[in-house]
Amino acid sequence: SQQGEEDPQALSIQEGENATMNCSYKTSINNLQWYRQNSGRGLVHLILIRSNEREKHSGRLRVTLDTSKKSSSLLITASRAADTASYFCATDFEGAQKLVFGQGTRLTINP
Amino acid sequence: KAGVTQTPRYLIKTRGQQVTLSCSPISGHRSVSWYQQTPGQGLQFLFEYFSETQRNKGNFPGRFSGRQFSNSRSEMNVSTLELGDSALYLCASSLSIANTGELFFGEGSRLTVL
């Protein structure tokens, strides 16, 4: 399957701690994106990282991409209750011409 | 700028019926993609339309179809509904072809098949 696999499936941390989620894939990609989904709502785009990039930042978010290991990670620093959501990686596999979403990581921030 | 609008937000159908879902993309966006989201299968790609042409299609039976109009609005249709079609159907629009950039999602249409 070309689908990215996310790890862990669920993560529960205390407010103020950092949260790290990982996404692994099996074939070459053009780009990889991260999205957030609040319960039962639409997805919101967080960051896009291209295959020739290694790291990108956006506010409290940091995304890394290691194409040699075929993996990406999303770090959320100083977590807040409002960060509680599901986080998905979406990969643009070479030749696929579509975005393929992983199963997601369900993040819970405890006050 | 208005976001992506999906209608209806909720609907209940019975097996064998058919359903049409609508998606109005962000103004100026030419690509509309559809995804099915279920707890067991996650987000599954249905199809993408770009400038009224189906650009790509996922692994769904022929009961699932779609189209895009000249104003970029899109509809998807599911005929002969089955219980397993119960899902959140998400539409996303983008400026260019979907896999190259950011997708903007609507809130979804939640379909329940009884």
Side-chain angles (χ1 to χ4, degrees):
Chain A
S1 167
Q2 287 186 317
Q3 188 176 41
E5 294 181 7
E6 297 184 58
D7 165 57
Q9 288 188 331
L11 178 62
S12 181
I13 61 173
Q14 295 299 120
E15 197 167 15
E17 294 181 336
N18 296 341
T20 300
M21 289 156 270
N22 303 294
C23 174
S24 60
Y25 55 92
K26 294 180 180 175
T27 59
S28 296
I29 62 171
N30 296 310
N31 69 66
L32 186 147
Q33 304 182 37
W34 285 90
Y35 287 82
R36 183 187 74 229
Q37 183 181 36
N38 290 91
S39 182
R41 307 284 300 273
L43 281 74
V44 175
H45 180 265
L46 297 176
I47 288 183
L48 180 154
I49 187 164
R50 302 198 184 280
S51 59
N52 61 352
E53 298 174 313
R54 291 297 166 257
E55 188 171 310
K56 287 191 87 168
H57 296 254
S58 177
R60 294 182 296 112
L61 307 180
R62 181 172 77 102
V63 167
T64 60
L65 178 64
D66 187 334
T67 53
S68 66
K69 294 181 179 179
K70 292 185 170 56
S71 68
S72 173
S73 67
L74 169 66
L75 168 67
I76 303 174
T77 59
S79 63
R80 305 167 181 169
D83 295 328
T84 293
S86 290
Y87 291 80
F88 296 87
C89 68
T91 40
D92 174 22
F93 293 104
E94 287 184 1
Q97 298 189 18
K98 62 183 178 182
L99 271 186
V100 179
F101 284 80
Q103 290 290 330
T105 293
R106 191 166 58 251
L107 174 66
T108 302
I109 309 298
N110 302 302
Chain B
K1 202 175 195 180
V4 177
T5 303
Q6 290 189 246
T7 56
R9 289 291 314 281
Y10 303 91
L11 65 166
I12 299 174
K13 294 285 187 178
T14 57
R15 279 181 299 174
Q17 287 186 311
Q18 67 99 25
V19 66
T20 299
L21 308 178
S22 178
C23 174
S24 293
I26 291 172
S27 177
H29 285 194
R30 297 167 63 188
S31 167
V32 173
S33 300
W34 288 90
Y35 286 84
Q36 180 196 66
Q37 186 176 30
T38 59
Q41 298 297 316
L43 276 150
Q44 299 291 312
F45 174 77
L46 281 158
F47 24 66
E48 179 194 358
Y49 287 87
F50 184 81
S51 295
E52 300 180 67
T53 300
Q54 187 179 86
R55 179 173 171 265
N56 206 342
K57 190 178 191 305
N59 294 325
F60 279 83
R63 301 186 296 108
F64 291 80
S65 63
R67 58 178 175 169
Q68 186 180 35
F69 302 96
S70 58
N71 62 357
S72 292
R73 190 177 71 84
S74 177
E75 288 181 348
M76 68 162 282
N77 183 276
V78 188
S79 62
T80 319
L81 284 166
E82 300 176 0
L83 294 179
D85 297 333
S86 294
L88 181 65
Y89 290 88
L90 291 162
C91 154
S93 75
S94 55
L95 270 172
S96 185
I97 54 178
N99 52 296
T100 60
E102 177 181 355
L103 296 185
F104 294 81
F105 280 84
E107 294 289 81
S109 292
R110 184 166 293 282
L111 171 65
T112 301
V113 182
L114 302 176

